[in-house]
């Protein structure tokens, strides 16, 4: 990508205030908090996060965490469902790790105090979601994310040896002798950026749903981690695969309120404007088909009807059950004027989850030594072209736990003295200029939604690339001094990577649908697209 700046600001580390730790963790969602909890007893850990500790996508998770727990289930079945949903691009080795280590990760969560719903017998209750061949979703009502997030936050706060900094924005990585040795950071109470040196850095910055007009992702999901890693020279993979969730509540809220797939797991129907259950006959699992398939059928139904939503029908499910099992959704729909037991609720597809990200191996190692990634910002290969529902929280748990296992070997490769000797200078030739950052973000969302949304084409993607480049030409020349401007630069970087990869992939697979190449082409495209700063051409690989 020719016009991405090397860093977002110019700096010289020797002129700035410096702090240091063994391990720098960026992000306080399930991935960042799990990494901190696993490693603080052995390493001096600093955890930085852009907002308050609880401001994460993790907090909003509704459906739950997938894990094979019932007698009828097994890691093998979970493996098969994950591979099937991923449309031929899941990395088998990574998926094996995920399903085999799921149970231990769940036991860890329970021992920390996460209170999953249980039947009177004491057994954990399991729910069903799209693409799963049986019930395997552990949940706490419809607020599983906030239960997990609160528990992990309490634990981290109780560890006095974890240094936590909220409202702290990480701008860029520090790279010394081809190793990530820390980050350059904006702290709320400091006028100048601060240098954080570390022997290893774990990136856990979540997704990039804010690139779209309509999304479930919280405002902080601006793709910072992917942009930072790309600028620092790490490989980025599978970014053409953006998952749209079939059922966002159709109203004006931003982010859109999600209506969990678990409702369809309890029997809710999708109906078009004429009242037809349009998923029946399209897929053997009907409303519980994998998300990419349901979303495309919703788009077709909306087109047929000339409407921008379809309907979720829960009126045949007993009211007591709806109120007890989905109390938050029940209340929220009521606030919008819909009674789940009487009314059909208008819903539409919403940008929800980035399958791709910073490429890692099964121990979270990125291609840049010293830099690890976990959670939604990472691409471990477990989601392939389409994530199986409720595998994301699990991914954060399992893979953040694995980073800790190999840190010992890696962290020893560089000494504290060597790092603090690093005298790094980076120039940036931007000018200060006042622009309406929110308006520019909105413009970008319009472009991404129109041309890099559920249905893409060569023409549209080329148009998107021209428009994004024009915005980049304007915005990358500016030296911002506030978070919104830096987020805009990150969003533009990730948007371009996504549009480029989507243009390169001349087929349809999972969440990536091309109207001009509507078939899956295994002989040519059963491979990953890897992008790296400075590479003239993308790399292709059969495995992550
Ligand atoms: P997050 O939880 O998003 O945390 C990212 C962290 O990084 C935040 O603390 C943020 O402040 C910080 N950060 C970002 N940029 C910077 C920066 N520049 N500097 C410093 N800090 C930064 N998945 C499931 O498996 N099951 C579900 O039921 C489910 N339901 C969902 C419902 C909703 C509404 C949404 C939006 C997602 C849902 N998902 C679900 C997906 C899942 O919640 C997320 O993928 C997962 O929680 C991501 O965790 P994470 O730790 O990677 O990132
Ligand atoms: C949902 O509850 O429908 C979301 C689950 C997920 O994104 O995995």
């Amino acid at each position: 990508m020719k016009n991405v700046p090397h860093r977002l600001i110019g700096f010289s580390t020797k002129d700035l205030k410096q702090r240091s730790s063994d391990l720098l963790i960026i992000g306080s969602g399930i991935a960042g908090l799990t990494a901190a909890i696993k490693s603080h007893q052995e390493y001096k850990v600093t955890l930085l996060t852009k907002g308050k500790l609880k401001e994460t996508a993790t907090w909003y998770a509704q459906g739950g965490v997938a894990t094979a727990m019932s007698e009828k289930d097994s890691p093998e079945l979970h493996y098969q469902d994950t591979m099937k949903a991923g449309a031929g691009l899941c990395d088998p080795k990574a998926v094996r790790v995920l399903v085999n280590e799921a149970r231990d990760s769940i036991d860890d969560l329970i021992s920390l105090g996460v209170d999953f719903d249980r039947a009177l017998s004491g057994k954990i209750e399991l729910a069903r979601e799209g693409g799963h061949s049986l019930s395997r979703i552990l949940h706490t009502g419809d607020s599983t994310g906030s239960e997990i997030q609160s528990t992990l936050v309490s634990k981290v706060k109780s560890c006095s040896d974890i240094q936590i900094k909220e409202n702290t924005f990480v701008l860029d990585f520090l790279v010394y002798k081809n190793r990530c040795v820390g980050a350059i950071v904006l702290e709320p109470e400091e006028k100048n950026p601060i240098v954080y040196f570390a022997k290893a850095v774990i990136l856990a910055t979540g997704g990039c749903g804010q690139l779209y007009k309509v999304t479930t992702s919280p405002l902080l999901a601006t793709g910072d981690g992917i942009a930072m890693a790309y600028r620092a020279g790490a490989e980025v993979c599978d970014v053409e695969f953006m998952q749209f969730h079939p059922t966002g509540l159709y109203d004006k809220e931003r982010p859109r309120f999600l209506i969990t797939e678990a409702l369809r797991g309890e029997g809710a129907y999708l109906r078009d404007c004429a009242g037809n259950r349009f998923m029946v006959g399209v897929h053997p699992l009907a409303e519980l088909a994998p998300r990419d398939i349901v979303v495309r059928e919703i788009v077709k139904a909306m087109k047929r009807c000339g409407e921008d939503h379809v309907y979720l029908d829960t009126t045949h499910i007993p009211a007591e059950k709806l109120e007890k099992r989905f109390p938050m959704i029940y209340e929220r729909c009521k606030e919008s004027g819909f009674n789940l037991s009487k009314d059909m609720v208008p819903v539409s597809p919403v940008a929800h989850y980035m399958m791709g990200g910073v490429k890692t191996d099964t121990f979270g190692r990125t291609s840049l030594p010293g830099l690890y990634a976990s959670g939604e910002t990472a691409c471990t290969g477990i989601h392939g072209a389409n994530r199986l529902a409720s595998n994301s929280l699990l991914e954060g748990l399992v893979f953040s736990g694995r980073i800790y296992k190999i840190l010992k070997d890696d962290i020893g490769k560089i000494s504290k003295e060597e790092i603090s000797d690093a005298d790094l200078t980076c120039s940036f030739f931007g000018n200060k200029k006042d622009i309406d950052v929110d308006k520019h973000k909105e413009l970008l969302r319009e472009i991404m939604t129109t041309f890099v949304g559920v249905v893409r084409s060569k023409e549209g993607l080329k148009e998107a690339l021209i428009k994004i480049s024009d915005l980049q030409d304007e915005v990358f020349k500016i030296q911002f001094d506030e978070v919104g401007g830096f987020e805009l630069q990150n969003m533009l970087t990730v948007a371009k990577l996504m549009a480029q990869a989507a243009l390169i992939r001349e087929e349809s697979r999972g969440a990536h649908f091309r109207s001009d190449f509507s078939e899956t082409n295994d002989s040519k495209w059963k491979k990953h697209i890897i992008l790296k700063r400075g590479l003239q051409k993308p790399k292709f690989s059969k495995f992550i």
Side-chain angles (χ1 to χ4, degrees):
M1 211 189 289
K2 72 175 188 316
N3 48 359
V4 175
H6 189 51
R7 296 290 185 269
L8 293 183
I9 57 165
F11 59 85
S12 172
T13 51
K14 68 176 178 339
D15 297 337
L16 297 173
K17 214 183 252 184
Q18 298 184 358
R19 311 194 198 290
S20 75
S21 52
D22 293 330
L23 190 56
L24 183 65
I25 299 174
I26 308 170
S28 60
I30 195 165
L33 295 175
T34 302
I37 292 166
K38 289 276 176 193
S39 44
H40 74 101
Q41 281 176 335
E42 259 174 76
Y43 303 109
K44 186 179 166 201
V45 172
T46 300
L47 185 130
L48 309 179
T49 191
K50 182 158 140 175
K52 292 281 187 202
L53 271 180
K54 287 184 179 172
E55 283 173 37
T56 62
T58 301
W59 177 270
Y60 295 98
Q62 293 183 358
V65 194
T67 299
M69 292 205 63
S70 73
E71 282 117 43
K72 288 187 211 139
D73 204 357
S74 64
E76 178 58 31
L77 279 180
H78 189 184
Y79 172 86
Q80 284 170 17
D81 289 345
T82 303
M83 297 293 289
K84 205 183 282 173
L89 267 200
C90 292
D91 191 84
K93 195 166 141 228
V95 179
R96 285 274 175 226
V97 166
L98 180 86
V99 299
N100 289 339
E101 298 187 12
R103 193 59 198 265
D104 285 348
S105 298
I106 291 296
D107 289 345
D108 284 351
L109 265 193
I110 293 172
S111 67
L112 286 173
V114 171
D115 194 10
F116 290 115
D117 288 350
R118 290 177 187 264
L120 286 177
S121 64
K123 259 192 171 173
I124 288 182
E125 275 182 352
L126 299 169
R128 181 97 185 261
E129 286 182 5
H132 291 273
S133 52
L134 38 68
S135 298
R136 66 161 70 94
I137 317 296
L138 291 79
H139 54 86
T140 307
D142 52 1
S143 306
T144 314
S146 55
E147 167 70 12
I148 293 176
Q149 180 83 29
S150 304
T151 307
L152 296 179
V153 165
S154 301
K155 175 67 187 171
V156 161
K157 280 187 168 168
S158 74
C159 303
S160 54
D161 50 358
I162 301 179
Q163 211 210 342
I164 301 167
K165 283 258 173 200
E166 295 183 310
N167 302 313
T168 295
F169 187 79
V170 179
L171 282 166
D172 268 309
F173 296 121
L174 299 166
V175 181
Y176 177 61
K177 295 187 180 169
N178 193 36
R179 185 181 171 93
C180 181
V181 293
I184 187 108
V185 169
L186 295 180
E187 284 184 2
E189 62 279 8
E190 295 282 346
K191 198 164 151 269
N192 292 317
I194 306 289
V195 171
Y196 273 83
F197 281 125
K199 293 181 183 172
V201 178
I202 300 180
L203 183 64
T205 44
C208 59
Q210 285 295 322
L211 264 65
Y212 290 86
K213 275 197 330 196
V214 180
T215 179
T216 56
S217 303
L219 296 177
L220 52 86
T222 50
D224 299 344
I226 297 177
M228 271 189 258
Y230 179 77
R231 282 195 295 275
E235 288 180 346
V236 164
C237 189
D238 286 355
V239 285
E240 65 274 35
F241 299 112
M242 182 77 201
Q243 182 168 69
F244 287 75
H245 192 291
T247 55
L249 177 64
Y250 179 77
D251 68 7
K252 291 206 159 49
E253 283 262 306
R254 219 193 122 67
R256 279 283 167 91
F257 182 74
L258 179 77
I259 302 198
T260 178
E261 207 157 277
L263 257 167
R264 277 175 279 136
E266 293 291 347
Y269 301 141
L270 283 168
R271 295 190 188 277
D272 64 16
C273 56
N276 297 319
R277 277 185 67 196
F278 54 86
M279 285 307 299
V280 176
V282 169
H283 189 278
L285 292 172
E287 279 89 352
L288 285 175
R291 280 182 192 167
D292 54 332
I293 296 168
V294 179
V295 164
R296 277 194 294 279
E297 291 306 315
I298 291 180
V299 170
K300 282 188 210 161
M302 295 193 307
K303 215 169 179 179
R304 273 196 311 271
C305 288
E307 288 187 349
D308 49 7
H309 58 274
V310 291
Y311 298 90
L312 190 71
D313 180 4
T314 51
T315 54
H316 53 289
I317 303 174
E320 317 78 71
K321 185 168 188 181
L322 290 170
E323 267 187 276
K324 185 161 177 277
R325 171 72 177 86
F326 304 102
M328 185 199 31
I329 296 174
Y330 201 90
E331 271 312 302
R332 178 61 182 75
C333 286
K334 212 157 102 188
E335 279 166 29
S336 287
F338 304 107
N339 180 335
L340 278 186
S341 46
K342 292 197 178 114
D343 304 315
M344 294 216 286
V345 180
V347 290
S348 66
V350 274
H352 183 62
Y353 184 86
M354 167 45 80
M355 260 79 68
V358 185
K359 183 175 160 296
T360 71
D361 67 8
T362 56
F363 287 98
R365 284 180 283 227
T366 71
S367 64
L368 177 64
L371 179 66
Y372 296 78
S374 179
E376 192 169 338
T377 203
C379 181
T380 55
I382 65 155
H383 307 306
N386 177 55
R387 173 174 68 97
L388 183 67
S390 287
N391 264 354
S392 171
L393 293 173
L394 184 62
E395 178 185 35
L397 282 174
V398 168
F399 287 90
S400 282
R402 285 173 68 83
I403 294 175
Y404 163 72
K405 293 184 184 165
I406 53 143
L407 269 182
K408 206 175 205 135
D409 288 342
D410 188 39
I411 254 178
K413 286 184 186 151
I414 189 153
S415 71
K416 199 172 163 190
E417 291 69 37
E418 203 179 344
I419 292 173
S420 43
D421 276 353
D423 175 5
L424 301 166
T425 303
C426 173
S427 41
F428 181 88
F429 303 103
N431 293 316
K432 288 209 183 313
K433 186 177 167 196
D434 263 345
I435 61 160
D436 186 337
V437 167
D438 287 341
K439 202 171 133 202
H440 280 70
K441 283 184 177 176
E442 218 34 60
L443 266 173
L444 178 62
R445 290 183 184 119
E446 188 72 47
I447 297 166
M448 291 300 285
T449 305
T450 309
F451 301 115
V452 199
V454 176
V455 179
R456 298 134 178 214
S457 69
K458 183 175 187 169
E459 249 180 18
L461 290 165
K462 284 193 157 173
E463 181 82 23
L465 282 167
I466 292 170
K467 288 178 186 291
I468 296 167
S469 295
D470 287 349
L471 282 174
Q472 285 189 339
D473 285 344
E474 181 190 355
V475 169
F476 283 169
K477 285 190 205 124
I478 302 175
Q479 175 63 82
F480 289 101
D481 55 11
E482 50 88 35
V483 167
F486 296 123
E487 284 180 339
L488 173 62
Q489 290 176 320
N490 287 335
M491 287 165 76
L492 283 166
T493 302
V494 178
K496 189 143 174 197
L497 291 171
M498 289 169 71
Q500 279 178 333
L503 181 63
I504 294 166
R505 184 172 290 281
E506 292 187 332
E507 65 156 358
S508 292
R509 182 185 294 275
H512 171 72
F513 184 81
R514 288 275 301 253
S515 55
D516 46 351
F517 294 95
S518 58
E519 301 297 319
T520 301
N521 183 344
D522 272 345
S523 60
K524 196 161 171 218
W525 283 111
K526 204 167 173 200
K527 58 191 179 189
H528 304 272
I529 298 173
I530 299 168
L531 304 169
K532 182 174 186 256
R533 187 187 157 86
L535 279 189
Q536 290 307 312
K537 287 189 178 158
K539 285 203 308 192
F540 299 100
S541 167
K542 282 212 180 307
F543 299 102
I544 294 279

